[in-house]
Amino acid sequence: MSAIQKVAVIGAGSMGHQIAMLSALGGFETNLQDIEQKSLEKAKDQLEGHMEKWVKKGKITDEKRQEAFERLHMTTDVGEAVTDVDLVIEAVVENLDVKQQVFKQLDQLAPHHAILATNSSTIVNSKLAEVTNRPAQVCNMHYFYPPLVMDCIEVVKSEQTSEETMDAVMNYCEQIGRTGFRLEKEIYGFIANRILFALNKEALKLYEEGYADYKDIDGIVKKALGHPLGPFELMDLSGIDVVHNANLQLYNETGDEDDKPAKSVEEKVRAGEFGRKTGKGWYDYSN
């Protein structure tokens, strides 16, 4: 395929709207699609707030901000969003069944040459490629939250992903000002999250077994290991529901009882306490 020129992002949630903004800032005509108009309106308000701060801080000029918003188009119609694009980035809920349904639809609606990428933080792309007729053009593009800040994208190759696809996506990462890292083969959770899973698992075990309060565990990790956020603070930032779903997906993959979400995480999810986005998680953000 020729170089990527037009992009669609499917899902305007906490990841999707920022992924779309990065694309527009990078000079690409970008369509942001969500099934709910209110999600698109919320995304627009949030992005305007982010970009206003960037202008005030001198990170971009007001002219660049305006140009980026002119390249960013929002729609609830998935067919309209992907009709003539070169790259589609899926950023819907972290659920295999939902993502497979989306990929079936994208495979039918997107141009034959288009790359279909998933922003999944854990699910390998071959599980999505299998429901399409273009497995060579499917890969993972795992951005980190928040995408407008974090300079890292894990680009994951399956056995069927072509080198042409990988080269095009890696080049796109460079053009939007982000560092892409190639993963030459698939593994559940990729690199960063596998390391993070291990840290969270041990932190939750130490907390649940009463060795220390979660605030003190966070403090030790920050002071002794130099991490900017402790594991419980990071769960609140990423979304406790996201952490829960990722662990549940791992358990479904392995069948190992040890991979089930921690009891304290289950309790938070049942209470609707997902972290910063709900105003309360491990910490209270109501003020």
Side-chain angles (χ1 to χ4, degrees):
M1 63 169 290
S2 59
I4 293 167
Q5 296 180 13
K6 192 168 183 179
V7 178
V9 178
I10 308 302
S14 57
M15 295 293 289
H17 74 283
Q18 293 199 19
I19 291 172
M21 193 73 228
L22 273 178
S23 180
L25 287 166
F28 296 89
E29 290 292 324
T30 306
N31 296 329
L32 175 61
Q33 185 273 342
D34 197 282
I35 57 174
E36 295 186 359
Q37 182 62 37
K38 65 179 181 181
S39 295
L40 293 173
E41 291 169 0
K42 181 180 178 182
K44 184 179 179 182
D45 289 342
Q46 290 177 325
L47 290 174
E48 286 176 346
H50 288 313
M51 292 304 101
E52 188 176 338
K53 289 179 182 177
W54 278 26
V55 171
K56 288 180 178 177
K57 291 179 179 179
K59 294 180 72 173
I60 59 172
T61 64
D62 189 55
E63 182 182 8
K64 293 290 185 183
R65 178 186 66 83
Q66 291 181 36
E67 289 174 353
F69 275 110
E70 287 172 3
R71 286 189 289 266
L72 182 62
H73 317 285
M74 299 188 180
T75 179
T76 56
D77 186 334
V78 65
E80 178 185 336
V82 305
T83 187
D84 59 350
V85 301
D86 307 302
L87 170 65
V88 184
I89 304 170
E90 166 271 314
V92 304
V93 65
E94 193 74 354
N95 177 284
L96 178 59
D97 291 336
V98 174
K99 287 183 184 292
Q100 285 183 331
Q101 290 173 17
V102 170
F103 266 70
K104 282 182 184 178
Q105 188 177 27
L106 294 175
D107 189 46
Q108 294 170 358
L109 297 173
H112 293 302
H113 74 275
I115 293 169
L116 304 182
T118 174
N119 178 53
S120 175
S121 57
T122 54
I123 299 169
V124 294
N125 70 78
S126 60
K127 290 184 176 293
L128 305 176
E130 68 185 25
V131 302
T132 76
N133 294 306
R134 61 181 88 194
Q137 294 154 240
V138 179
C139 69
N140 288 85
M141 286 184 71
H142 176 217
Y143 292 71
F144 289 80
Y145 185 80
L148 284 171
V149 175
M150 298 294 286
D151 178 22
C152 183
I153 301 175
E154 291 177 321
V155 182
V156 187
K157 183 178 187 292
S158 75
E159 290 184 358
Q160 293 178 294
T161 308
S162 71
E163 280 299 319
E164 189 176 20
T165 294
M166 292 295 288
D167 289 345
V169 171
M170 290 294 290
N171 185 56
Y172 171 78
C173 291
E174 183 178 349
Q175 287 180 283
I176 63 170
R178 289 295 175 268
T179 305
F181 293 93
R182 284 181 59 123
L183 275 66
E184 299 297 340
K185 57 183 181 178
E186 297 180 315
I187 185 169
Y188 178 85
F190 320 135
I191 303 300
N193 274 341
R194 288 185 70 86
I195 295 170
L196 185 59
F197 285 164
L199 178 64
N200 281 355
K201 187 175 183 178
E202 188 63 21
L204 286 161
K205 180 181 178 182
L206 292 167
Y207 165 69
E208 290 184 356
E209 293 183 0
Y211 288 100
D213 184 71
Y214 66 87
K215 292 180 181 178
D216 292 320
I217 295 173
D218 275 350
I220 292 167
V221 169
K222 288 190 289 185
K223 294 289 187 182
L225 303 182
H227 292 202
L229 294 174
F232 295 91
E233 290 174 319
L234 190 54
M235 279 187 263
D236 276 0
L237 177 65
S238 301
I240 295 173
D241 56 327
V242 175
V243 173
H244 173 270
N245 289 343
N247 273 127
L248 200 57
Q249 184 66 36
L250 177 59
Y251 171 65
N252 291 335
E253 293 259 345
T254 65
D256 186 344
E257 292 289 317
D258 201 37
D259 289 330
K260 275 188 173 180
K263 290 180 180 178
S264 55
V265 169
E266 293 271 14
E267 290 169 1
K268 292 289 183 187
V269 170
R270 282 197 296 270
E273 297 174 354
F274 299 161
R276 294 192 186 195
K277 61 187 174 185
T278 60
K280 188 176 181 183
W282 292 104
Y283 296 86
D284 191 332
Y285 303 92
S286 57
N287 294 323

